[in-house]
Amino acid sequence: RSVVRLAWTGWDVEGRELDVTIEYEIMAGQFHTRQRVQVDGPTNDLRFATGVVRHPAALAPTSVFSHGAVGVWTQGAQSDQGDGLVLGAVVADAFAPEVVTTDPLSHVVTFSLNEGRAETLFYARWALEPEPVGDPGAYHARMHALASLRAATQVEADQTAHTKKTSGQDGSR
């Protein structure tokens, strides 16, 4: 497991001062990366974004709404050597995702935070890997189900923590 954590403090976003932490987690043997976003400060009505870059050699992007998540993905000869590559980004319904099709450089999914947090998945599969994608539809469905399950677990944990904190069960007074 590898984790990269990036943090910005005092970030001025539309006149609001925010502390933002983004954590990327990559697990050995997996083909996806988890991105966890934590924002401290007033985030009311702010939307955040993730996505995949547009590549001229890739097929038109596909937006998928399934298994409690929304994602965008592309596939085709997207590498510099012309090898096949599948790229995708998934956001669970728990974070109110919306697909944006007007960005000229990227396929974008915007999302909201829940209790100042969100989690998204990125995935990339190269055609020359020992385990090829196989059925793309089944692969994308698995990524969506994973994103939805992870989000449901996180939202439940956030709600439990919030309940304990507001009821004094966390030991604070």
Side-chain angles (χ1 to χ4, degrees):
R1 172 177 173 231
S2 295
V3 177
V4 175
R5 184 173 295 125
L6 306 170
W8 296 268
T9 56
W11 197 0
D12 181 8
V13 177
E14 296 182 3
R16 306 172 201 196
E17 188 171 310
L18 304 176
D19 294 337
V20 179
T21 302
I22 299 176
E23 184 176 278
Y24 297 96
E25 178 183 2
I26 303 170
M27 301 291 284
Q30 301 295 315
F31 296 99
H32 64 273
T33 300
R34 289 186 189 133
Q35 176 193 29
R36 292 184 192 93
V37 179
Q38 163 96 35
V39 180
D40 296 312
T43 60
N44 323 21
D45 304 324
L46 286 180
R47 302 282 297 166
F48 296 81
T50 188
V52 293
V53 69
R54 291 182 185 265
H55 192 285
L59 300 175
T62 301
S63 299
V64 180
F65 303 82
S66 70
H67 296 84
V70 173
V72 293
W73 59 276
T74 62
Q75 69 182 51
Q78 301 180 70
S79 73
D80 291 340
Q81 292 77 29
D83 300 320
L85 185 62
V86 175
L87 294 173
V90 182
V91 179
D93 287 349
F95 305 112
E98 295 177 11
V99 175
V100 177
T101 59
T102 56
D103 188 292
L105 302 176
S106 300
H107 307 297
V108 176
V109 179
T110 66
F111 57 94
S112 297
L113 303 178
N114 184 310
E115 299 285 332
R117 296 180 186 189
E119 181 175 297
T120 67
L121 293 180
F122 295 107
Y123 57 96
R125 295 292 301 268
W126 186 37
L128 300 180
E129 290 181 29
E131 296 177 37
V133 169
D135 174 17
Y139 182 72
H140 299 303
R142 190 178 70 156
M143 290 294 103
H144 283 237
L146 178 62
S148 183
L149 175 64
R150 294 279 312 156
T153 303
Q154 177 187 322
V155 168
E156 182 179 309
D158 287 347
Q159 288 171 345
T160 300
H162 179 73
T163 301
K164 284 182 178 180
K165 188 174 183 178
T166 58
S167 67
Q169 293 179 23
D170 66 345
S172 64
R173 305 231 180 250

